[in-house]
Amino acid sequence: MTQRSGLPDLETLNPEALKALIVAQHEQLLSKDAQLLHKDEQLHGKEEQLASRDEEIERLKLLIAKLRRAQFGRKSEKLDWEIEQLELKLDELEASRAQQTAASPSPMVASAVNRATKRARMSLPAHLPRETHKILPKQEACPDCGGALKPLGEDVSEILERVPEHFKVIRQVRPKLACAGCDKIVQAEAPSRPIERGIAGPGLLAHVLVSKYADHLPLYRQAEIYAREGVELDRSTMAEWVGGCSRLLEPLVETLRRHVMSAAKLHTDDTPVPVLAPGRGKTKTGRLWTYVRDDRPWGDATPPAVWFAYSPDRKGEHPQAHLREFRGTLQADAYPGYEEIYKGGRVTEAACMSHVRRPFFELYEAHKSAVAKEALERIAALYAIEEEIRGRSAEERRAVRTERSKPLLESLKKWFEETLVKLSRKSDTTRAIRYAQDRWDALTRYCDDGHLEIDNNAAERSLRAVVLGRKNYLFAGSDAGGERAAALYGLIGTAKLNGLNPEAYLREVLSRIADHPINRIEELLPWNLAVKIAENPSRAA
């Protein structure tokens, strides 16, 4: 009798040992059954979530159509606003659905989403110019018998692409060749696309992403613009593109995060982002956090970068989680949530002189206050020194600051103390002085370290795009939409810091990333693609 793999020889077991073996095997079967049942329950839960989301998307589409029919005669500004809000929410839901489809490891869940999103493939406009790319097989002879190859037919697919100023259609023609000797058919593989089976080329995808996140054009407004060019792009289709691209870019964003967090000094700040609260028809306040690595002011050649993170609220646990791997100096404002980070000495605090200057500037603008004017003049003298030493080595900056900035700071501190006794305790000027005094050590730390800056303006500059976008599209459609925005703001902001056109950069990334080895993903960071983009201006345009 042969012995089964993994089992003892049953012929040699006594009755007690045989019983114990049967019990053990029974327990294993029960455990496997429980695991399978748990997986089935999880799958059922995901399918219910997808069904609920699909119902919400259809409900929103019907509501938007109803509101648009109500727009006759003199337009109501309130009605226009309501339609815009619903359009934005619909964008976010459909982008989330596309992103979940790409991320789902379960074929059953993915197929359920595909069934929900499946729609008739639109025909590409006949009036657009066509550009044909022939993709020939690598084999020059039959790979089976070595015979000559003869034409048999061809497969043709089309991609809608965008180049500066106009759209065009790229026809990908893959001739089929047949062996004259053995009828073997040879054909080149279809080139991969950024979004599998999608009709959008990398240039069009890059344009949609940059228009949304850098130029602050919501998808429904982009659809109106493209329609004027004779190209009907459904807003929901573009939302799926955004979700698919977000999923595709996740490894690159994670690589960017690691680069930023490996710095010895970071700038950080945050800004509110209104976010739709599910089921309430109202907005809640989320936050976008920025973390900037930029050591160019002291002559370092490390590429600058910015990483954004989204959180549904402003609790201190969020920056604490973001900075869990960081060791060094953090230049930030006086937000209490950072206090826990500074405990233990892993992270050192450096404050921001711009936050000291700002209330004095507002006081001078409002009241022409003599105290505020003198404070501004004293702070301006410190900034004049920084302007002179920008770009010099860290050691040289430290030496100049020790010689020239420290005496000015000591004089400013003494003047604050003398001025304070002459003011009311509740005045705005007193509050402005107290703000500086309460964080004086962190405020003057830059004098002892040439790697640090006098202020946190690097972080504030990175948030300008967010503030402009917030004015245009009012809110993010969901927490997932906030996370997508954070990812794209980081890539776009880093491209700008490295002197690249963000649309040219994303075009290059999206043309490569689907086939790029994951263990070499850092090759797609902006500074590593800068030379390639410069060498190929037609792709960068």
Side-chain angles (χ1 to χ4, degrees):
M1 182 176 178
T2 58
Q3 182 175 329
R4 292 183 61 187
S5 176
L7 288 175
D9 186 352
L10 301 181
E11 298 293 340
T12 64
L13 294 181
N14 59 42
E16 292 301 323
L18 189 58
K19 288 179 184 179
L21 178 62
I22 293 171
V23 169
Q25 293 292 323
H26 180 65
E27 289 177 350
Q28 286 183 12
L29 288 173
L30 289 177
S31 176
K32 288 181 180 178
D33 287 344
Q35 291 175 4
L36 289 172
L37 181 61
H38 180 63
K39 287 182 179 179
D40 287 343
E41 290 174 350
Q42 284 184 323
L43 183 59
H44 182 66
K46 287 184 178 179
E47 289 178 340
E48 286 184 344
Q49 290 176 5
L50 292 172
S52 175
R53 179 179 294 167
D54 293 339
E55 289 174 3
E56 176 71 1
I57 287 173
E58 294 305 317
R59 188 187 68 80
L60 284 172
K61 286 180 177 179
L62 290 172
L63 186 53
I64 289 170
K66 181 178 179 180
L67 288 171
R68 289 204 180 281
R69 286 195 297 270
Q71 277 186 306
F72 61 89
R74 184 175 179 179
K75 285 191 176 181
S76 162
E77 290 185 4
K78 182 178 180 181
L79 187 58
D80 289 343
W81 183 87
E82 289 178 353
I83 292 174
E84 287 181 354
Q85 310 314 294
L86 291 171
E87 293 274 17
L88 289 166
K89 185 177 181 182
L90 193 54
D91 287 352
E92 296 295 347
L93 283 171
E94 291 179 321
S96 295
R97 182 168 64 181
Q99 188 170 1
Q100 185 173 351
T101 305
S104 177
S106 167
M108 293 181 67
V109 173
S111 64
V113 178
N114 287 333
R115 287 196 302 271
T117 59
K118 190 174 181 180
R119 62 175 66 85
R121 172 65 63 86
M122 69 177 187
S123 58
L124 297 176
H127 70 273
L128 294 179
R130 254 67 178 173
E131 182 178 303
T132 299
H133 295 182
K134 272 204 172 183
I135 305 158
L136 295 172
K138 296 178 182 178
Q139 301 91 337
E140 295 181 358
C142 177
D144 288 355
C145 70
L149 298 173
K150 61 181 181 180
L152 177 66
E154 61 186 22
D155 289 337
V156 179
S157 60
E158 293 189 332
I159 294 175
L160 180 65
E161 182 58 293
R162 180 177 174 83
V163 294
E165 307 295 333
H166 68 278
F167 287 95
K168 68 178 181 181
V169 175
I170 296 175
R171 303 180 74 245
Q172 295 181 334
V173 179
R174 295 185 295 128
K176 293 181 178 179
L177 304 176
C179 175
C182 68
D183 292 331
K184 169 77 175 181
I185 297 174
V186 177
Q187 185 180 34
E189 291 186 5
S192 61
R193 305 186 182 195
I195 297 177
E196 190 177 358
R197 296 187 297 275
I199 65 166
L204 177 56
L205 293 173
H207 184 73
V208 169
L209 292 174
V210 171
S211 295
K212 179 175 173 63
Y213 293 106
D215 300 329
H216 324 300
L217 284 173
L219 297 181
Y220 72 90
R221 291 182 186 168
Q222 291 189 50
E224 294 170 355
I225 293 170
Y226 301 146
R228 293 199 298 267
E229 299 183 42
V231 179
E232 298 289 341
L233 286 180
D234 189 65
R235 188 234 31 262
S236 60
T237 298
M238 287 190 287
E240 291 174 9
W241 294 349
V242 171
C245 287
S246 298
R247 172 63 181 169
L248 195 62
L249 293 168
E250 283 176 4
L252 184 59
V253 175
E254 172 58 21
T255 303
L256 177 66
R257 183 196 69 81
R258 290 198 299 267
H259 172 79
V260 170
M261 290 299 160
S262 66
K265 179 225 25 178
L266 285 182
H267 297 267
T268 184
D269 202 354
D270 68 291
T271 191
V273 178
V275 181
L276 275 179
R280 292 167 53 192
K282 299 180 179 178
T283 59
K284 61 180 182 179
T285 301
R287 309 296 295 194
L288 276 174
W289 307 79
T290 182
Y291 299 92
V292 181
R293 176 179 186 171
D294 190 353
D295 293 322
R296 293 175 297 177
W298 58 274
D300 187 70
T302 304
V306 55
W307 176 69
F308 281 82
Y310 168 81
S311 66
D313 52 52
R314 206 193 185 202
K315 294 178 181 177
E317 64 193 42
H318 301 301
Q320 291 163 26
H322 303 156
L323 295 163
R324 64 186 179 277
E325 301 169 9
F326 175 68
R327 292 179 179 273
T329 304
L330 187 68
Q331 297 214 245
D333 59 21
Y335 169 56
Y338 297 132
E339 294 300 327
E340 189 66 28
I341 297 172
Y342 302 136
K343 293 179 180 179
R346 178 176 60 86
V347 178
T348 304
E349 178 187 10
C352 173
M353 189 64 74
S354 284
H355 279 77
V356 173
R357 180 185 180 278
R358 193 164 297 144
F360 288 112
F361 176 79
E362 293 170 354
L363 285 167
Y364 183 74
E365 286 288 297
H367 310 296
K368 303 302 178 188
S369 162
V371 172
K373 182 181 180 183
E374 183 167 353
L376 291 173
E377 290 172 349
R378 287 173 175 269
I379 294 172
L382 294 169
Y383 272 93
I385 296 171
E386 293 305 303
E387 189 64 29
E388 289 180 29
I389 62 176
R390 187 172 301 278
R392 299 188 191 179
S393 70
E395 185 55 37
E396 189 175 359
R397 279 157 50 106
R398 188 198 62 78
V400 172
R401 288 167 175 173
T402 299
E403 179 185 353
R404 298 172 56 188
S405 300
K406 269 194 172 181
L408 294 179
L409 285 164
E410 290 168 2
S411 176
L412 177 61
K413 182 180 181 182
K414 184 178 179 182
W415 179 76
F416 277 156
E417 292 168 351
E418 294 171 349
T419 303
L420 204 57
V421 298
K422 305 173 186 176
L423 300 173
S424 166
R425 291 184 179 181
K426 296 183 179 180
S427 73
D428 291 335
T429 307
T430 297
R431 280 193 287 272
I433 293 175
R434 290 288 188 200
Y435 178 89
Q437 288 181 323
D438 290 345
R439 49 196 51 82
W440 191 257
D441 289 343
L443 197 61
T444 59
R445 185 159 284 128
Y446 80 100
C447 280
D448 299 318
D449 187 344
H451 303 92
L452 305 184
E453 299 304 308
I454 189 174
D455 57 32
N456 193 36
N457 286 354
E460 295 192 4
R461 284 193 297 270
S462 71
L463 289 174
R464 287 177 184 169
V466 180
V467 174
L468 288 172
R470 190 169 59 209
K471 290 180 180 177
N472 270 22
Y473 51 72
L474 305 180
F475 58 77
S478 64
D479 288 335
E483 292 168 0
R484 278 193 297 274
L488 269 300
Y489 278 136
L491 291 174
I492 289 170
T494 301
K496 289 180 178 179
L497 284 175
N498 286 272
L500 296 179
N501 177 335
E503 185 170 335
Y505 167 64
L506 287 176
R507 174 195 291 262
E508 191 69 29
V509 168
L510 292 170
S511 69
R512 295 162 170 255
I513 195 168
D515 296 322
H516 198 82
I518 191 69
N519 61 346
R520 289 170 27 214
I521 194 69
E522 70 279 352
E523 294 175 1
L524 301 184
L525 289 167
W527 49 91
N528 292 329
L529 286 182
V531 174
K532 179 64 67 175
I533 293 172
E535 289 175 350
N536 199 344
S538 63
R539 288 176 67 91

